[in-house]
C-alpha cells in the first residue's frame, strides 16, 4: 500500500471485528498459536489506570518466526470499536501476500493507522520518518481531506491532527473532546519518549493522584515491584538472585533516566 | 502414476500460498491450516512450479524448462519432468485434470 517506508516486519498486525476475538483466538490456538501478552500494567495502578490502554493480544507459534498482534482496538481511534471497524472495513482494499489476496485497510485507512502509531510515540526516530513519508504520499495523491473524513468518523480528529495539518487536510469538525480519552492520549504522547518514560510517568501520576496515606505504599511498589512482575516483564525463564539485582538496577536506571521529563509532565497534568 | 497423466495437462492444486526468492520457493497449504507444514522447492522444482502458472502439458513444461536452462531440445527433460510432477502430485501440490477425471467414483 505504501503507507509506510519499506522495511522488514517482525509481526503481523490484525484488527479483529468487535466480538470476534474469542472465535479468532480459539481458531488460532487450534493451529498451534499461543497467546502471550505483555503483562498489562493496569492491575499495578489504582489511581492512574485510567491513563493506560490495552489494545491487542499477542500470539506466538513455535514454528513461525513471525508473531501476530491481534488488535481489538487501536489507540487514538476514540469512536466505539464497531464504528472504527466498520469505517475501515467499508473502505477496505486487498493486498497480495504469498500470491493470495488478503483484505486490508485501504491506503487512507492505513495512513490513519500508521499515523496514530507514529504519533503515539513521537520521540521514536523511526516514527518521524513514517510521518514524513505519510505527509509526502498523502500530498502526492491529494488524500488529506479523505483522511480528515476518516478521522472524524473514527474519533481520531484530535489525535491525528498533526498529520492532518501536514497532509493539507481540511480542518476536522467536530473535534473529539472526550476529556478522559484525550488525557489518556496525552499521557502517552506528551510525556513518553519510550515505554520506560511512559511507565515512569504513570507511576508518578499514581503517586500524585493518590491520597497521602497511600503514597508510601505506592512509592515502595514503584521502587521495589514484586519479583513476579520483573520476571513476567523480562523473561519466562528462571532467574537467579543476581539476575533480580540486575533487573532492579536496570529499572531504577530507567526511572532516573526518564524521571525529569515524566515529573514535569505529570506535575503539569495535575496542576491543570 | 496413472498412465494417462504424462499426456494430460497439469496445473497447480488450489489452496497453496507461496513465496519465491531466486531458486527457492516456500509453499504452505492454506486449506489445511492445522496440519500444514511449509514445503521448500529448490532449483528445477521451483522452475517447474513457476512454469505451472498456467495449466500446461508435459511437453509444454519440458519446453519451458529447456528454454530456461539453455537446452536445445526438451526431449531429454520429459522423464525428469514426469518424475518431479509425480512427487509434487504425491504431496498435493499439483494435479492433472485428466487424473481427476479418471479417478474412480
Amino acid at each position: 500500500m505504501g503507507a509506510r517506508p519499506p522495511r522488514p516486519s517482525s509481526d503481523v498486525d490484525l484488527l479483529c471485528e468487535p466480538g470476534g476475538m474469542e472465535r479468532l483466538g480459539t481458531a488460532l490456538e487450534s493451529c498451534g498459536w499461543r497467546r502471550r501478552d505483555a503483562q498489562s500494567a493496569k492491575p499495578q495502578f489504582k489511581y492512574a489506570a485510567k491513563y493506560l490502554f490495552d489494545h491487542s493480544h499477542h500470539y506466538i507459534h513455535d514454528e513461525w518466526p513471525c508473531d501476530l498482534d491481534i488488535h481489538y482496538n487501536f489507540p487514538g481511534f476514540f469512536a466505539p470499536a464497531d464504528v472504527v471497524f466498520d469505517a475501515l472495513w467499508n473502505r477496505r482494499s486487498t493486498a497480495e501476500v504469498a500470491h493470495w489476496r488478503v483484505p486490508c485497510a485501504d491506503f487512507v485507512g492505513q495512513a490513519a493507522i500508521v499515523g496514530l502509531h507514529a504519533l503515539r510515540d513521537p520521540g521514536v526516530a523511526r516514527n518521524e520518518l513514517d510521518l514524513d513519508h505519510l505527509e509526502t504520499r498523502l500530498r502526492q495523491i491529494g488524500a488529506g481531506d479523505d483522511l480528515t473524513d476518516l478521522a472524524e468518523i473514527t474519533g481520531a480528529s484530535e489525535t491525528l491532527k498533526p498529520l492532518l495539518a501536514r497532509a493539507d487536510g481540511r480542518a476536522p469538525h467536530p473535534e473529539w473532546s472526550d476529556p478522559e480519552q484525550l488525557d489518556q492520549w496525552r499521557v502517552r504522547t506528551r510525556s513518553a519518549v519510550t515505554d520506560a518514560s511512559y511507565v515512569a510517568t504513570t507511576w508518578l501520576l499514581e503517586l500524585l493522584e493518590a491520597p497521602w496515606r497511600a503514597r508510601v505504599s505506592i512509592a515502595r511498589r514503584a521502587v521495589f515491584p514484586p519479583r513476579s512482575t520483573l520476571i513476567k516483564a523480562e523473561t519466562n525463564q528462571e532467574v537467579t538472585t543476581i539476575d533480580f539485582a540486575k533487573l532492579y538496577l536496570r529499572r531504577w536506571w530507567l526511572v532516573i533516566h526518564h524521571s525529569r521529563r515524566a515529573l514535569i509532565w505529570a506535575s503539569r497534568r495535575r496542576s491543570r | 502414476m496413472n498412465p494417462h497423466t504424462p499426456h494430460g495437462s497439469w496445473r497447480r492444486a488450489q489452496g497453496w500460498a507461496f513465496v519465491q526468492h531466486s531458486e527457492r520457493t516456500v509453499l504452505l497449504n492454506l486449506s489445511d491450516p492445522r496440519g500444514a507444514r511449509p514445503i521448500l522447492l529448490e532449483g528445477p522444482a521451483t522452475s517447474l512450479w513457476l512454469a505451472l502458472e498456467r495449466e500446461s502439458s508435459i511437453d509444454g513444461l519440458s519446453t519451458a524448462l529447456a528454454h530456461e536452462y539453455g537446452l536445445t531440445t526438451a526431449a531429454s527433460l520429459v522423464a525428469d519432468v514426469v518424475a518431479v510432477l509425480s512427487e509434487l502430485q504425491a504431496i498435493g501440490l499439483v494435479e492433472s485434470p485428466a487424473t481427476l477425471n479418471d479417478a474412480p467414483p
Side-chain angles (χ1 to χ4, degrees), chain A residues 37-243:
Chain A
D37 291 339
Q39 189 188 26
S40 171
K42 272 190 176 177
Q44 298 179 62
F45 300 107
K46 181 176 178 183
Y47 305 99
K50 60 189 175 189
Y51 299 110
L52 301 172
F53 32 48
D54 295 329
H55 50 85
S56 66
H57 293 312
H58 196 74
Y59 282 85
I60 59 171
H61 193 295
D62 291 338
E63 296 176 355
W64 286 96
C66 180
D67 301 348
L68 303 178
D69 240 353
I70 315 289
H71 289 258
Y72 42 85
N73 62 43
F74 204 89
F77 288 128
F78 290 156
D82 57 335
V83 173
V84 174
F85 185 88
D86 286 347
L88 294 171
W89 182 254
N90 289 339
R91 57 182 306 143
R92 70 188 178 279
S93 180
T94 59
E96 189 172 290
V97 180
H99 296 81
W100 279 68
R101 304 300 297 178
V102 178
C104 65
D106 73 343
F107 173 76
V108 172
Q110 294 203 17
I113 292 168
V114 172
L116 288 174
H117 185 265
L119 291 166
R120 196 175 67 192
D121 294 305
V124 177
R126 193 175 68 178
N127 290 342
E128 187 53 38
L129 294 176
D130 284 358
L131 290 172
D132 289 344
H133 178 82
L134 276 177
E135 177 184 344
T136 304
R137 292 277 290 127
L138 286 162
R139 283 172 176 263
Q140 274 174 350
I141 61 173
D145 286 351
D146 210 4
L147 183 61
T148 303
D149 293 342
L150 180 63
E152 287 174 346
I153 296 169
T154 55
S157 50
E158 185 67 27
T159 49
L160 274 176
K161 196 182 270 184
L163 178 61
L164 298 177
R166 289 172 64 168
D168 259 353
R170 63 173 174 79
H173 178 81
E175 295 188 352
W176 201 263
S177 58
D178 182 317
E180 192 165 311
Q181 287 179 315
L182 285 177
D183 259 359
Q184 206 179 35
W185 181 257
R186 286 173 185 142
V187 166
R188 178 72 196 198
T189 58
R190 297 189 187 173
S191 69
V193 178
T194 65
D195 282 345
S197 58
Y198 180 38
V199 171
T201 303
T202 311
W203 273 111
L204 285 167
L205 283 170
E206 177 82 353
L207 203 58
L208 292 170
E209 300 210 353
W212 278 101
R213 64 180 182 282
R215 291 186 180 179
V216 173
S217 165
I218 291 169
R220 194 177 60 236
R221 278 193 293 120
V223 178
F224 297 105
R227 287 186 168 197
S228 59
T229 305
L230 291 180
I231 296 172
K232 284 175 186 170
E234 298 297 330
T235 175
N236 281 334
Q237 297 171 349
E238 280 189 26
V239 289
T240 64
T241 303
I242 293 173
D243 291 331

